[in-house]
Amino acid sequence: MLLVAVVSIATIWFAIGGRLDYYVHPRYLVFTVIMASIALALCVARAAMIIRRPVAHTNHDADHDDEDDDPPPATRRQAALSGLAVLVAVGMIVFPPATLSSATALQRDLTGGTTPAGGSSLSSAQSASSAAFAKFTVLDWSSLLRQTSNVSFYAGKPVAVEGFITPSPTDAANTFYLTRFVITCCAVDAQPVGVPVYLPNWRNSYKSDEWLNLTGGFEANHSTSSADPIALVPSGVKKISAPSDPYLY
């Protein structure tokens, strides 16, 4: 009960501070707050019932030594659960909400699998204007790169994207992925998407998880060791702060 109360209070606290969307898709924020409020109310009601419950007294024999008795299993279990609740509460206070990182992106298969729904389709992109391409996100370009590796398709199409740096597992010296996380429901199911960027010796000026705004165009990848046939070759690189809402939906 204590653990449920702690999680409920933390959920409401994150919502008030505008940080609940670090964990939950915006369309579920109201639902999550309502359910947390109901859970907290039930915990308070249950605690009130326990407080009002009369205490049962048990008579012991005179020669019974209470100090030598081990606590019953139920008591030990309750103590363990209470300790877990305290750890969770301390963790929520000591470690504030934070966005997912490049380490998580690599653990969740950034370069393989399928692109989440919501990216641009190849058929619609073929008739898109230059102004439309300039508004494409990392999700849009990542989706197109999975649909075609024809260099001529990307020729002349302007790219302007924002994301954080995730080192390439095949050419970390000269290539990185400009990465974003796409959330369908909550941070647990967040899936990383990224576009390969060819920038020789990028570590001399930038570091992992740093947010960048890149402009440029896609070309055949100049890296000899990267597994990506096409990469973004930036004409402009600008360091930026992480956006208030770092996820894509």
Side-chain angles (χ1 to χ4, degrees):
M1 186 181 66
L2 179 59
L3 183 57
V4 172
V6 168
V7 172
S8 300
I9 293 172
T11 299
I12 297 171
W13 174 47
F14 292 156
I16 294 173
R19 295 176 294 177
L20 186 57
D21 56 1
Y22 280 12
Y23 301 108
V24 180
H25 192 290
R27 66 169 172 257
Y28 297 122
L29 292 182
V30 174
F31 171 79
T32 303
V33 171
I34 291 174
M35 297 307 295
S37 301
I38 293 174
L40 182 59
L42 292 174
C43 289
V44 172
R46 177 59 177 166
M49 291 175 59
I50 294 175
I51 293 173
R52 290 198 302 267
R53 181 183 302 167
V55 180
H57 297 279
T58 304
N59 294 324
H60 297 276
D61 294 333
D63 58 349
H64 186 73
D65 188 1
D66 291 332
E67 294 182 356
D68 294 335
D69 286 348
D70 292 329
T75 302
R76 292 196 297 269
R77 183 167 59 251
Q78 290 171 357
L81 292 175
S82 298
L84 177 62
V86 171
L87 289 177
V88 171
V90 172
M92 289 180 171
I93 296 173
V94 175
F95 302 103
T99 58
L100 301 174
S101 66
S102 60
T104 308
L106 291 174
Q107 292 171 359
R108 297 191 181 182
D109 197 11
L110 171 62
T111 59
T114 59
T115 301
S120 295
S121 65
L122 184 61
S123 58
S124 62
Q126 288 174 337
S127 59
S129 64
S130 295
F133 280 114
K135 296 180 181 179
F136 275 20
T137 65
V138 168
L139 174 59
D140 294 313
W141 287 115
S142 175
S143 178
L144 291 176
L145 288 170
R146 291 176 185 270
Q147 296 175 64
T148 180
S149 57
N150 185 351
V151 178
S152 62
F153 171 80
Y154 301 96
K157 292 179 172 60
V159 181
V161 286
E162 295 181 352
F164 62 90
I165 295 176
T166 300
S168 168
T170 55
D171 183 15
N174 302 307
T175 307
F176 62 83
Y177 291 95
L178 196 68
T179 313
R180 299 290 290 268
F181 277 95
V182 180
I183 287 186
T184 302
C185 177
C186 60
V188 174
D189 66 27
Q191 184 173 343
V193 293
V195 295
V197 179
Y198 178 73
L199 190 62
N201 302 313
W202 61 269
R203 292 183 185 273
N204 293 340
S205 303
Y206 312 102
K207 57 185 179 180
S208 297
D209 295 312
E210 193 165 32
W211 280 77
L212 301 177
N213 177 290
L214 300 182
T215 56
F218 286 103
E219 302 177 10
N221 197 345
H222 302 294
S223 171
T224 57
S225 56
S226 173
D228 299 289
I230 297 177
L232 173 61
V233 178
S235 58
V237 181
K238 181 181 178 181
K239 294 182 180 181
I240 60 174
S241 300
S244 58
D245 188 359
Y247 302 123
L248 298 175
Y249 306 99

